[in-house]
Amino acid sequence: MTSQVSSPAEQTDGTVVGEQRKPGGAKDVRRLDRVIIRFAGDSGDGMQLTGDRFTSETATFGNDLSTLPNFPAEIRAPAGTLPGVSSFQLHFADHDILTPGDAPNVLVAMNPAALKANIGDLPRGAEIIVNTDEFTKRALQKVGYDSSPLEDGSLDGYSLHPVPLTTLTVEALKEFDLSRKEAERSKNMFALGLLSWMYHRPTEGTEKFLKSKFAKKPDIAEANIAAFRAGWNFGETTEDFAVSYEVAPAAKAFPVGTYRNISGNLALAYGLITASQQADLPLFLGSYPITPASDILHELSKHKNFGVRTFQAEDEIAGIGAALGAAFGGSLAVTTTSGPGVALKSETIGLAVSLELPLLVVDIQRGGPSTGLPTKTEQADLLQAMYGRNGEAPVPVVAPMTPADCFDAALEAARIALTYRTPVMLLSDGYLANGSEPWRIPALDELPDLRVQFASGPNHTLADGTEVFWPYKRDPQTLARPWAVPGTPGLEHRIGGIEKQDGTGNISYDPANHDFMVRTRQAKIDGIEVPDVEVDDPHGARTLVLGWGSTYGPITAAVRRLRAAGEPIAQAHLRHLNPFPRNLGAVLKDYDKVVIPEMNLGQLATLIRAKYLVDAHSYNQVNGMPFKAEQLAAALKEAIDD
């Protein structure tokens, strides 16, 4: 039996597109267009590793994919409790997709807490694989279950697969010289093997990974591989799983090229390295570890062969201070942090504005205020990026749209910083940082030339004919001042936070000079060349949905749903938030309604209303999670009909 495949825009869940019956009583294979799987368990159950391995094999297979890791802020939250649940959601398909999916088709629950924390997200009919060994009376009571949901009928609306994962894992590893506790740790690999069988995922990469990860403990490596294979064999032989599924590679979703799976933080790190190579400058990172930005520090520390120097400072202020010093010394300088760290760095960002030196300030946003929600996502640092400094201290603001786009956003931020001699704020967030998707590795000739000219000698002639170096004599096109590497003969000049005299850079308290310098620094930012915003409007809509940053995926998925249902709606997405694209005002005036979904309480909407006097409508969410496409589609439909 086969059914017609609908267009990607019409598909909201996994659709059966074909079924193949095997001869001789072998299990059936069903072909699906997409699947959403969520692995959930205690933070110590290895759910992030399990999801990451399944994702890597899915990328190798050629599916389009999008992921959503979700884990507690505590290093080891209390075992068996709802706050301690860690999950990893993966959406993979045979066509272009944009989000990790709204609702899982399959939930793997390693204990009662994982089941209770995630059951509300599952649609009726979804498959649930539970580790029955963990459904003890004590574990059930710990999360508020009066009776076992595996027995009281509360899961009758789902396809339930009770599997004693712990027992089966221990049995599979009985030939190894391991304690029961050590053997139980491999149950996540058993679950991974089972899911790999169910969805025909490659296995070679995972086995190679395990051998590499436990190279110094070969017995542990072999035990994990044995558990992984046992899970695969269990799926092949048990009667409880009568069907396996195939999701074909997304051959038509990608332009020709070489692809790899990449997370936002990894893409950003690679973008910074590439920018330094294209600028022919050493890369310096001054950073203090903070969730969810720390992975960038970890990754860059591996690449000394590319001239990368990483400095883990004692605090946020020291991190940016070292980075600004490196910028003064002629490096492509970067500091990475999250929202609380940006607050601590604000004075030095203002100093960088005054010194007019290139500096990349990477803010991987998270829930706030204060320490807030360290492992959850939010877009609430936009106004801090725009105005979070004393005095008039304007900085450009750039925001990537997807995990892979973090690579290009890093290059763009570097272009602006180097060309205009200014600090640049790059606003990613936890959703992009930890999420992953396929990324086409660019060819070298596709990369921008970011090389700069350092000052090499006098650039100004005094009235008496003397040739001197003026550190604040500006390029007439960009208003950038010259970049003079310390130690260059004849280019000595004063630095510091006190106001500079135009041209000479000497200390100046003159009111007229201060007014001129403030306006000049603002004019430099206002004059930055950025591409026009592009509008996707195939049907002449009267409502425009405008987004920025990581809302791109959910907004685009919602727009596809509405258009598939016959609703006209236009879409535009901003990468450059300061300055705005020059055509943005004209674009906004073309529409009767402008809706701005944000993971904050309306920060972009506030800026749009103030600058363009447009009655922009906010749609906001601040629950630490990304928007769901269905939720946005409903809100946008209401805006269209209003």
Side-chain angles (χ1 to χ4, degrees):
M1 182 184 75
T2 60
S3 61
Q4 185 67 33
V5 184
S6 57
S7 69
E10 297 171 12
Q11 298 160 349
T12 59
D13 53 20
T15 304
V16 178
V17 297
E19 187 169 320
Q20 179 181 358
R21 296 193 178 277
K22 297 293 184 69
K27 297 186 178 184
D28 294 341
V29 178
R30 292 180 186 169
R31 290 189 293 112
L32 303 176
D33 68 315
R34 68 169 72 194
V35 175
I36 303 169
I37 297 174
R38 184 181 295 176
F39 299 93
D42 268 333
S43 352
D45 282 338
M47 294 296 94
Q48 303 304 318
L49 174 63
T50 304
D52 184 67
R53 288 315 312 160
F54 196 94
T55 299
S56 294
E57 300 299 349
T58 296
T60 300
F61 189 72
N63 296 118
D64 196 8
L65 62 89
S66 180
T67 67
L68 178 61
N70 187 15
F71 43 87
E74 291 78 12
I75 294 174
R76 187 66 175 92
T81 64
L82 293 175
V85 173
S86 173
S87 68
F88 188 104
Q89 183 163 306
L90 165 67
H91 183 190
F92 62 102
D94 65 2
H95 57 271
D96 174 38
I97 58 173
L98 297 154
T99 73
D102 289 357
N105 308 116
V106 182
L107 171 66
V108 180
M110 304 298 280
N111 60 18
L115 178 65
K116 188 164 189 178
N118 292 281
I119 189 67
D121 291 337
L122 267 64
R124 289 291 173 171
E127 292 191 80
I128 303 176
I129 301 171
V130 295
N131 180 15
T132 56
D133 290 323
E134 295 295 324
F135 279 70
T136 63
K137 184 177 180 180
R138 183 165 180 251
L140 291 165
Q141 290 175 342
K142 190 180 288 188
V143 294
Y145 277 125
D146 296 325
S147 60
S148 174
L150 309 184
E151 300 169 356
D152 63 10
S154 61
L155 300 179
D156 287 349
Y158 305 95
S159 178
L160 180 64
H161 302 280
V163 180
L165 286 171
T166 306
T167 300
L168 290 170
T169 302
V170 171
E171 178 66 20
L173 302 184
K174 63 183 180 181
E175 65 184 76
F176 293 86
D177 185 21
L178 299 173
S179 67
R180 180 178 177 86
K181 186 175 182 180
E182 289 173 328
E184 287 179 1
R185 290 174 181 162
S186 297
K187 63 182 181 289
N188 64 324
M189 288 297 105
F190 189 100
L192 178 60
L194 173 57
L195 269 292
S196 297
W197 171 83
M198 285 181 65
Y199 292 97
H200 295 249
R201 299 296 92 183
T203 61
E204 296 83 359
T206 294
E207 294 192 8
K208 183 178 179 181
F209 166 81
L210 291 170
K211 290 178 181 177
S212 174
K213 180 177 178 63
F214 299 106
K216 296 182 180 180
K217 298 179 179 179
D219 291 346
I220 299 297
E222 290 303 319
N224 277 281
I225 292 171
F228 177 67
R229 291 174 177 172
W232 177 283
N233 293 333
F234 178 78
E236 182 71 33
T237 57
T238 184
E239 294 182 1
D240 192 34
F241 294 92
V243 178
S244 64
Y245 304 92
E246 286 184 349
V247 180
K252 298 180 180 179
F254 308 120
V256 175
T258 302
Y259 287 81
R260 60 157 293 164
N261 182 52
I262 201 165
S263 68
N265 273 351
L266 183 58
L268 212 157
Y270 286 176
L272 294 173
I273 295 170
T274 303
S276 75
Q277 294 294 301
Q278 293 301 108
D280 196 22
L281 296 173
L283 178 64
F284 180 91
L285 174 68
S287 183
Y288 179 75
I290 183 171
T291 301
S294 300
D295 286 341
I296 302 172
L297 171 61
H298 299 160
E299 183 61 34
L300 289 179
S301 68
K302 302 174 184 177
H303 297 285
K304 297 180 179 66
N305 56 312
F306 285 109
V308 178
R309 292 184 179 179
T310 52
F311 170 58
Q312 181 174 320
E314 64 269 29
D315 55 43
E316 295 282 3
I317 299 172
I320 189 172
L324 185 57
F328 179 60
S331 292
L332 176 60
V334 185
T335 189
T336 53
T337 189
S338 192
V342 174
L344 292 168
K345 295 177 188 293
S346 61
E347 183 180 2
T348 308
I349 297 173
L351 176 59
V353 171
S354 177
L355 295 181
E356 301 189 46
L357 287 170
L359 175 68
L360 303 187
V361 181
V362 177
D363 177 7
I364 312 297
Q365 299 167 96
R366 70 189 206 187
S370 188
T371 309
L373 303 175
T375 60
K376 309 303 180 186
T377 196
E378 207 163 274
Q379 287 184 298
D381 293 349
L382 176 57
L383 293 183
Q384 180 178 219
M386 289 285 291
Y387 303 119
R389 294 162 296 282
N390 62 295
E392 296 288 345
V395 298
V397 181
V398 176
M401 301 184 296
T402 69
D405 188 50
C406 289
F407 177 86
D408 294 315
L411 286 171
E412 175 64 358
R415 176 192 72 86
I416 293 172
L418 294 172
T419 303
Y420 295 91
R421 309 286 197 270
T422 178
V424 177
M425 294 285 296
L426 194 157
L427 295 183
S428 179
D429 60 42
Y431 172 41
L432 296 184
N434 297 318
S436 61
E437 66 177 351
W439 171 59
R440 187 180 71 84
I441 301 172
L444 288 177
D445 59 6
E446 297 173 342
L447 299 173
D449 184 352
L450 300 178
R451 288 173 294 182
V452 297
Q453 290 284 334
F454 288 115
S456 58
N459 62 355
H460 184 74
T461 304
L462 299 177
D464 63 3
T466 304
E467 291 188 339
V468 296
F469 174 67
W470 274 16
Y472 282 85
K473 184 167 185 174
R474 301 179 183 278
D475 181 291
Q477 297 299 318
T478 65
L479 298 182
R481 79 173 186 93
W483 193 1
V485 176
T488 306
L491 302 191
E492 298 84 358
H493 60 283
R494 187 185 300 272
I495 61 169
I498 296 178
E499 184 62 279
K500 314 293 184 299
Q501 184 183 51
D502 176 42
T504 68
N506 295 330
I507 289 176
S508 172
Y509 296 100
D510 178 63
N513 178 79
H514 177 61
D515 183 274
F516 177 82
M517 292 295 280
V518 167
R519 294 179 185 277
T520 301
R521 287 189 290 261
Q522 183 65 58
K524 180 172 70 169
I525 304 306
D526 292 341
I528 292 173
E529 289 290 335
V530 303
D532 283 349
V533 63
E534 297 181 359
V535 182
D536 177 20
D537 184 8
H539 305 117
R542 302 314 309 153
T543 299
L544 171 72
V545 54
L546 179 69
W548 69 278
S550 66
T551 57
Y552 173 78
I555 289 174
T556 306
V559 166
R560 287 183 179 181
R561 292 187 184 209
L562 289 172
R563 289 177 181 170
E567 298 287 348
I569 187 166
Q571 178 186 0
H573 208 80
L574 295 175
R575 163 175 282 177
H576 297 89
L577 298 156
N578 192 34
F580 285 130
R582 283 171 172 71
N583 69 329
L584 180 58
V587 166
L588 295 173
K589 286 180 169 51
D590 281 343
Y591 293 91
D592 297 335
K593 294 179 184 175
V594 177
V595 182
I596 304 179
E598 296 181 80
M599 292 187 293
N600 57 47
L601 295 183
Q603 297 188 14
L604 175 62
T606 297
L607 296 174
I608 293 294
R609 292 188 191 114
K611 185 172 180 64
Y612 299 107
L613 303 181
V614 169
D615 185 21
H617 301 269
S618 284
Y619 182 73
N620 309 114
Q621 172 177 296
V622 281
N623 62 4
M625 298 295 288
F627 284 112
K628 293 183 177 181
E630 183 179 8
Q631 161 198 3
L632 273 181
L636 295 175
K637 176 67 165 64
E638 185 177 338
I640 293 171
D641 294 341
D642 187 11

